[in-house]
Every structure is written in structure tokens, then in C-alpha cells.
């Protein structure tokens, strides 16, 4: 065995170490990008889907209470406090990241609550069937919005899982490359020169 590294061996060792460094650096940058994607997806699932489910739940509760009131009294009385709460919910809903379909249904929902023929325009009307039909129509819009939340949550989860799978695969490749590079360095250091560089 050679006691000292030759110039050629030193260059090769330096090359292999540089390769290992850039491999680790590149892998780290790719990992960071995938973790950033996963973090963004998780935040979106919470802020744009789970929180929105709560908005839908609150609006559905309001409609249920209104329906009970109509069945008991035949009409509905205006409540300024409730009116402010619903407007705040709809504004918060609009501030989330909406899909095109979701934006369409949210616009329809606003019309059903505050449009010219919306729920706010029939307060005090003594027309039970008209009010109940309107409530039923508004509930259907909420159903459509709820389905979108489920679909989008599933879509975001799939993207997160895909990023995790790619990240896991790259980590395994990185380990394999590091083993190969480690073995290469050991061979360069401990193998006899004649084995590495046969005389032609």
C-alpha cells in the first residue's frame, strides 16, 4: 500500500469530496423546497378548508334556526346583530383562497342572503312557503360549498403526500450516493496505486 497519497489521488479525493458536498447541498435545497410545499399545503388545508367548514357550519345553523322560527311563527324577524355576524362570515369566507367554482357559489350565497330577492329582503313577510323555499335553496348552495371543501382538502393532501414521497425517494438516493462516495474515497486512500491505475 502507498503510505502517502499521490497528486493524482489527492485530486481524485478532492473531486469526490466536492461531489459529495454539492450532492448534499443540492439535496438540501430540494428538501427545503418540498418541505415548503408541504407547509403551504397544511396551512391552506387549515386556513382555506377547515376554517371555511366552520363558516359553513355557522351559516347552516343560522338557516336551521330561521327555519324553526318560520315553522313556529310563519315569518322571520330581522336581527341586526345576526345580520352583522353573517356579513362578517361571508367577508371572512371571501378572504380565503377560493377556487373558481367556489367563488361562483359564494357569490350566489351572498345574493341569497343580501340580494334583491335575498333572505334579508323577506324579513317580516307573512309567506311561510316562500321563506322555506328560499332557505332550502340557500342550504343547497352551502352543500355545494361543503363538497368543494372536501374535494380541495383531498387534493391538497394528495399534493402533500406526493411531496413527501419524492422527498423520501431523494433521501434514499442521497444515502446510496453517499455510500458509493465513501467507498470510493476508501478505495482511493487504501488501494495500491497499481490497482487503481494499471500500467498500460
Amino acid at each position: 500500500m502507498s503510505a502517502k497519497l499521490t497528486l493524482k489521488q489527492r485530486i481524485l479525493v478532492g473531486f469526490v469530496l466536492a461531489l459529495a458536498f454539492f450532492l448534499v447541498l443540492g439535496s438540501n435545497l430540494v428538501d427545503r423546497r418540498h418541505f415548503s410545499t408541504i407547509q403551504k399545503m397544511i396551512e391552506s388545508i387549515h386556513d382555506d378548508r377547515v376554517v371555511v367548514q366552520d363558516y359553513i357550519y355557522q351559516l347552516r345553523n343560522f338557516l336551521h334556526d330561521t327555519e324553526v322560527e318560520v315553522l313556529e311563527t310563519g315569518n322571520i324577524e330581522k336581527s341586526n346583530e345576526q345580520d352583522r355576524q353573517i356579513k362578517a362570515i361571508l367577508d371572512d369566507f371571501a378572504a380565503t383562497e377560493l377556487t373558481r367554482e367556489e367563488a361562483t357559489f359564494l357569490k350566489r350565497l351572498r345574493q341569497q342572503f343580501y340580494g334583491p330577492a335575498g333572505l334579508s329582503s323577506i324579513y317580516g313577510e307573512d309567506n311561510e312557503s316562500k321563506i322555506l323555499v328560499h332557505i332550502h335553496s340557500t342550504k343547497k348552495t352551502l352543500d355545494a360549498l361543503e363538497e368543494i371543501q372536501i374535494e380541495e382538502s383531498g387534493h391538497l393532501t394528495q399534493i402533500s403526500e406526493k411531496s413527501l414521497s419524492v422527498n423520501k425517494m431523494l433521501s434514499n438516493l442521497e444515502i446510496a450516493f453517499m455510500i458509493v462516495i465513501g467507498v470510493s474515497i476508501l478505495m482511493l486512500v487504501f488501494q495500491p496505486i497499481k490497482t487503481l491505475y494499471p500500467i498500460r
Side-chain angles (χ1 to χ4, degrees), residues 4-50:
K4 293 184 179 180
L5 294 177
T6 66
L7 179 60
K8 198 167 185 180
Q9 282 179 309
R10 288 178 183 177
I11 291 171
L12 282 171
V13 169
F15 173 75
V16 171
L17 288 174
L19 183 64
F21 171 77
F22 285 112
L23 174 66
V24 171
L25 179 64
S27 176
N28 185 264
L29 291 173
V30 171
D31 287 348
R32 286 180 67 182
R33 186 170 66 91
H34 281 291
F35 281 124
S36 176
T37 300
I38 293 165
Q39 184 179 9
K40 185 180 177 183
M41 293 303 103
I42 291 170
E43 287 173 358
S44 184
I45 288 170
H46 177 266
D47 298 341
D48 303 320
R49 303 300 153 211
V50 175

Side-chain angles (χ1 to χ4, degrees), residues 34 85 94 159 165 170 182:
H34 281 291
Q85 287 175 358
I159 294 172
S165 296
L170 289 174

